[in-house]
Amino acid sequence: MNLLNYTLKYLSLALLLVISIWAILFYFNMIDEVQDSLDDGLENSKMLVIQRVETDPGIIQRSGFSEHNYEIKEIGEQSGLKFKDRYRDTMMYTLNEEDLEPFRMLTTVFNKDNKYYEMKVVASTVEEDDLVRSLLYSLIWLYAAILVSFLLINNLLLRKIWTPFYQLLRRLKAFRLDKDQGIETTKTGVKEFKELNEAVSGLVEQSVNTYGSQKQFIENAAHELQTPLAISLNRLELLAENEGLTDHHLESIGQVIGTLQRLTRLNKSLLLLSKIENKQYGEITRLSINAIVKNLISEYEDFAEMKSVRIHLEEEGAAELAMNKDLAAVLISNLLKNAITHNVSGGLVKVFINGNSLVVSNTGGANALNQEKIFKRFQKDSREQSSIGLGLAIVKAIVDLYGFNIRYFYTDQHHIQLNFK
Amino acid sequence: MKLLLVEDEADLQEVIRQSLEKENYLVETADSYALALDKIVSYEYDCILLDIMLPDGSGLDLLAELKQMNKSDNVIIISAKDALEDKVKGLDMGADDYLVKPFHIAELNARIKSVWRRKSLNGKNTMEYANMRMDLDERQVWIEGNELLLNRKEFDILSYLSVNKNRLVNKTALAEQVWGDYMDGADDYEFIYSQIKNLRRKLKENNAGIEIQAVYGIGYKLVTL
């Protein structure tokens, strides 16, 4: 539930409660006022009747609700003396409505010529019913009107006020540490949003800087390592050329060369990774993936033969892409190399190409790999000593660079599917 | 052949010099822009190996000077930078080749010889060793006049080893040269053995005066019998 509706939900409930309580109080107050004025009217009628009785005693006999709004009857002295004025609600038959209708009735007692008379004066309260009804309707309308205006105000005003917040949220969602240089914030007059903007910008800037300097560090370190590595390797090669070295010496030198070469490869891979991530591969040309795959399969023939792995190519369509030639070759060769290296003896590597995807399957290993981790750096199979665990990380970096899509899945074989969108 | 090696990294300069001297080249060295400029102006060289990043200047400026003096023949740039722009720029300015550090000595050797052959043999890109003759452009090999039929990889191996004859060629250098850069990371390069085996057999069957020796754990060496 978004912020606008969230506030609205609680606000409308609170509003309903407040308006209901107010309505009840208002209703009783109103009724009280109406009765008050009715009672005043009845009091007035009573006094008028008593005045008339003084001048025309005959009306005592002529009274009755059928003709007048009062009724007089004689009562005993005892009850007459004790009597107090009494107002009450009652129902009476009315001709126009042909039904019983609510009336207000004043019962009083007066004294005339030492006789006590009880008098009842009535007034119709039919209006009150309508009043209650229209009051209820008014309240419902009022409630609806308030709610609708709240909805509108909420939507217009709050939306406007919260705009910087939502814009910031949108930008944060779209933010990529490896792609964006910083985050752009919207100008706002709200103090909290200003602080939020500042805090986020600061945080993002710091992250971008840290990320940048780390990338820079890897690149520099890799670069600086190249020369000493080259010197050591070249020196060992020179040393190995000396006459009079025993096989044992040569083997030791060979092992050191091997180790240094692994280091060189690691170094090269790190450089390649940072270059891909820094987008230092320009020159994009249109190239045929099928041709590259075929070419690389023939390059890998000897390697596959040594590992007793067969490579089977299935072309369903031609994939043509605009990308850097070297990166395309690195991408595909890493997938192939990976599938051959991690295969079993006598296994099969299947390469399937159509217009928009490339699938490399291999029969190595009976268990599915963790597809979350497989494209991460240094996720290596411990059995493969020479693997440096960067092959698929490089693949992923290239895939990301060109906005392709890659996934790993396992049926009874390992498959890596590359979709060129 | 007289070479000038312009390289400021003392250790690397030393290794390269030692290695090239094994080829019986006369190697002069310079470790700064000023010294290199001085030597270039004063002497003639058959081939110049030029590092781009020097403490007191850029190798590319030296290249420009060489071009002005019409001496820009046979320059091989050796650089730690492998950005495409640098390569293109260097080659545009008249360098013959561009080698990225770290490189194998065998590779440098091959490039020097290739540059040298191109410039000095009137376009005839051939090599002769013992009773073997090789046309590198036509990709043909003859042993005492009889053509030796080799597949692409066998030819590449033989030519690379021939350029580096009597030198120990690292398996990795060979694999990268013949199978391409993308082969790196593949196990122990044992797969090159089967090609070497076939090549050896063909050489023997044709009574070649050369032989490929395996150097235990490191690589191969082409020697005369």
Side-chain angles (χ1 to χ4, degrees):
Chain A
M1 188 177 281
N2 70 27
L3 187 73
L4 294 178
N5 294 340
Y6 195 77
T7 20
L8 194 69
K9 186 179 92 178
Y10 287 104
L11 219 53
S12 52
L13 285 176
L15 216 58
L16 184 61
L17 190 72
V18 170
I19 290 181
S20 305
I21 292 172
W22 171 80
I24 291 163
L25 291 175
F26 180 72
Y27 171 75
F28 282 111
N29 209 14
M30 199 82 171
I31 296 295
D32 212 41
E33 282 297 319
V34 169
Q35 284 190 342
D36 235 35
S37 72
L38 272 172
D39 292 354
D40 284 351
L42 287 173
E43 180 82 25
N44 188 44
S45 298
K46 168 190 124 184
M47 285 162 81
L48 284 173
V49 172
I50 293 170
Q51 258 181 9
R52 280 183 64 191
V53 167
E54 290 295 322
T55 56
D56 180 10
I59 62 165
I60 294 173
Q61 270 72 44
R62 292 199 305 270
S63 77
F65 290 128
S66 46
E67 288 167 70
H68 307 283
N69 64 339
Y70 58 89
E71 188 184 61
I72 301 167
K73 70 178 185 202
E74 201 179 330
I75 54 165
E77 191 183 354
Q78 281 302 311
S79 46
L81 277 174
K82 279 192 285 181
F83 203 87
K84 287 248 159 20
D85 284 7
R86 206 168 64 220
Y87 296 94
R88 67 188 177 92
D89 294 319
T90 183
M91 301 294 277
M92 290 180 83
Y93 186 82
T94 55
L95 266 181
N96 65 334
E97 302 279 336
E98 295 180 337
D99 201 1
L100 290 172
E101 290 296 330
F103 274 79
R104 186 79 174 163
M105 178 190 279
L106 166 64
T107 312
T108 186
V109 166
F110 65 91
N111 181 338
K112 171 139 174 74
D113 307 332
N114 288 326
K115 282 180 185 167
Y116 288 88
Y117 299 92
E118 185 198 70
M119 179 171 68
K120 288 176 176 163
V121 189
V122 293
S124 168
T125 59
V126 160
E127 292 295 301
E128 206 181 306
D129 246 16
D130 294 340
L131 190 70
V132 170
R133 201 170 300 123
S134 56
L135 206 64
L136 186 68
Y137 287 143
S138 301
L139 280 171
I140 291 171
W141 279 116
L142 178 70
Y143 178 71
I146 289 180
L147 207 63
V148 168
S149 42
F150 251 104
L151 197 81
L152 286 174
I153 291 168
N154 224 27
N155 264 304
L156 294 175
L157 194 66
L158 287 189
R159 184 154 295 190
K160 190 171 160 9
I161 294 171
W162 283 85
T163 300
F165 176 80
Y166 284 114
Q167 278 175 345
L168 185 67
L169 198 66
R170 214 164 31 241
R171 276 169 202 153
L172 277 176
K173 271 185 198 162
F175 182 77
R176 288 278 306 274
L177 195 52
D178 54 342
K179 292 226 165 80
D180 296 316
Q181 280 308 303
I183 205 152
E184 203 186 311
T185 53
T186 320
K187 266 207 176 123
T188 167
V190 183
K191 184 169 164 259
E192 282 79 359
F193 289 157
K194 259 187 207 161
E195 282 179 17
L196 184 68
N197 279 347
E198 276 164 24
V200 168
S201 304
L203 201 66
V204 165
E205 198 187 311
Q206 202 186 346
S207 307
V208 167
N209 285 343
T210 311
Y211 182 77
S213 63
Q214 272 184 3
K215 269 202 314 201
Q216 192 68 46
F217 174 77
I218 292 171
E219 198 184 322
N220 288 346
H223 239 130
E224 290 305 316
L225 275 171
Q226 306 225 94
T227 308
L229 276 172
I231 294 166
S232 312
L233 274 170
N234 294 348
R235 269 198 193 288
L236 283 170
E237 282 175 7
L238 270 179
L239 177 66
E241 282 185 303
N242 281 340
E243 299 297 323
L245 287 174
T246 64
D247 278 358
H248 179 69
H249 288 145
L250 286 171
E251 192 187 354
S252 297
I253 294 172
Q255 279 166 353
V256 181
I257 287 177
T259 311
L260 283 177
Q261 270 167 352
R262 245 172 65 202
L263 203 56
T264 310
R265 283 208 302 275
L266 171 67
N267 212 32
K268 271 192 194 164
S269 299
L270 284 175
L271 262 177
L272 180 63
L273 255 181
S274 59
K275 260 198 223 153
I276 294 168
E277 284 170 357
N278 291 331
K279 301 192 181 69
Q280 286 172 354
Y281 278 88
E283 222 209 350
I284 288 171
T285 46
R286 230 182 144 73
L287 31 92
S288 157
I289 295 297
N290 302 53
I292 297 174
V293 169
K294 271 186 239 170
N295 181 37
L296 284 168
I297 287 177
S298 76
E299 296 282 353
Y300 279 103
E301 229 165 49
D302 297 307
F303 178 48
E305 201 175 298
M306 184 196 81
K307 295 279 252 169
S308 308
V309 171
R310 280 178 305 126
I311 306 177
H312 176 74
L313 172 65
E314 193 185 326
E315 291 173 278
E316 199 189 78
E320 287 236 342
L321 291 180
M323 65 186 287
N324 179 276
K325 202 171 123 230
D326 291 329
L327 290 186
V330 170
L331 175 69
I332 295 163
S333 74
N334 278 6
L335 289 175
L336 278 176
K337 194 157 62 187
N338 193 61
I340 299 169
T341 312
H342 298 286
N343 218 318
V344 289
S345 183
L348 177 71
V349 170
K350 232 174 14 200
V351 184
F352 171 85
I353 315 177
N354 66 21
N356 44 36
S357 69
L358 168 78
V359 184
V360 180
S361 321
N362 82 72
T363 48
N367 296 313
L369 302 167
N370 185 338
Q371 52 179 335
E372 299 283 309
K373 286 186 176 171
I374 182 168
F375 296 109
K376 295 240 159 74
R377 289 173 194 194
F378 301 111
Q379 287 298 322
K380 56 183 265 188
D381 186 340
S382 53
R383 287 171 302 164
E384 291 296 338
Q385 281 299 312
S386 60
S387 135
I388 51 168
L390 283 175
L392 288 182
I394 290 171
V395 165
K396 184 78 169 65
I398 298 171
V399 163
D400 287 346
L401 179 69
Y402 288 103
F404 301 156
N405 190 311
I406 196 161
R407 71 184 185 110
Y408 163 84
F409 63 99
Y410 182 81
T411 50
D412 48 333
Q413 291 181 14
H414 303 274
H415 307 273
I416 289 180
Q417 181 175 9
L418 179 61
N419 292 318
F420 324 111
K421 265 172 267 174
Chain B
M1 183 153 77
K2 195 172 159 198
L3 289 169
L4 174 65
L5 170 61
V6 184
E7 166 65 63
D8 62 307
E9 186 83 38
D11 280 341
L12 192 58
Q13 192 198 75
E14 174 64 15
V15 178
I16 295 173
R17 192 181 57 76
Q18 272 184 31
S19 182
L20 293 179
E21 274 169 359
K22 287 202 161 196
E23 299 287 324
N24 293 318
Y25 297 144
L26 181 63
V27 184
E28 299 262 339
T29 56
D31 57 5
S32 69
Y33 178 88
L35 189 58
L37 190 61
D38 189 38
K39 294 209 172 194
I40 286 166
V41 174
S42 319
Y43 308 101
E44 297 283 331
Y45 295 95
D46 297 310
C47 185
I48 298 170
L49 304 177
L50 190 58
D51 185 12
I52 287 185
M53 285 193 282
L54 294 168
D56 54 345
S58 163
L60 290 177
D61 293 339
L62 277 176
L63 197 57
E65 292 284 343
L66 282 166
K67 204 172 180 179
Q68 237 179 357
M69 292 182 273
N70 276 326
K71 284 180 177 181
S72 66
D73 283 355
N74 305 353
V75 175
I76 297 173
I77 292 174
I78 47 174
S79 170
K81 288 167 104 179
D82 69 342
L84 197 71
E85 307 89 77
D86 295 316
K87 277 189 200 172
V88 171
K89 201 171 171 192
L91 294 175
D92 272 356
M93 287 178 76
D96 291 273
D97 212 339
Y98 194 110
L99 201 53
V100 177
K101 290 182 200 168
F103 46 78
H104 295 281
I105 293 294
E107 181 64 23
L108 178 64
N109 206 6
R111 303 279 184 110
I112 292 172
K113 289 202 177 146
S114 157
V115 163
W116 171 248
R117 276 196 309 270
R118 231 182 295 153
K119 295 284 157 108
S120 58
L121 296 170
N122 306 322
K124 264 173 69 195
N125 202 354
T126 57
M127 245 186 332
E128 277 181 58
Y129 185 48
N131 62 355
M132 176 190 72
R133 194 162 60 83
M134 200 174 231
D135 186 325
L136 291 152
D137 289 332
E138 299 298 321
R139 300 180 66 84
Q140 283 175 306
V141 187
W142 296 272
I143 293 185
E144 294 194 357
N146 300 319
E147 191 173 350
L148 184 65
L149 292 171
L150 300 176
N151 69 26
R152 178 174 74 87
K153 281 170 188 161
E154 287 163 354
F155 178 86
D156 286 342
I157 294 171
L158 187 61
S159 64
Y160 198 64
L161 288 174
S162 302
V163 170
N164 287 290
K165 58 182 186 280
N166 294 318
R167 303 286 305 263
L168 171 56
V169 176
N170 190 318
K171 275 185 290 192
T172 313
L174 192 58
E176 282 173 11
Q177 176 70 22
V178 178
W179 278 267
D181 287 346
Y182 309 116
M183 253 349 273
D184 68 352
D187 279 18
D188 204 16
Y189 303 104
E190 282 169 47
F191 58 90
I192 66 180
Y193 181 69
S194 63
Q195 299 284 356
I196 299 264
K197 204 170 65 183
N198 291 337
L199 189 54
R200 273 177 177 160
R201 183 175 45 78
K202 286 183 184 176
L203 288 172
K204 202 166 183 181
E205 281 170 1
N206 287 274
N207 294 317
I210 50 171
E211 177 192 62
I212 299 170
Q213 280 182 353
V215 178
Y216 193 70
I218 300 177
Y220 299 92
K221 193 191 245 184
L222 190 81
V223 293
T224 45
L225 280 170

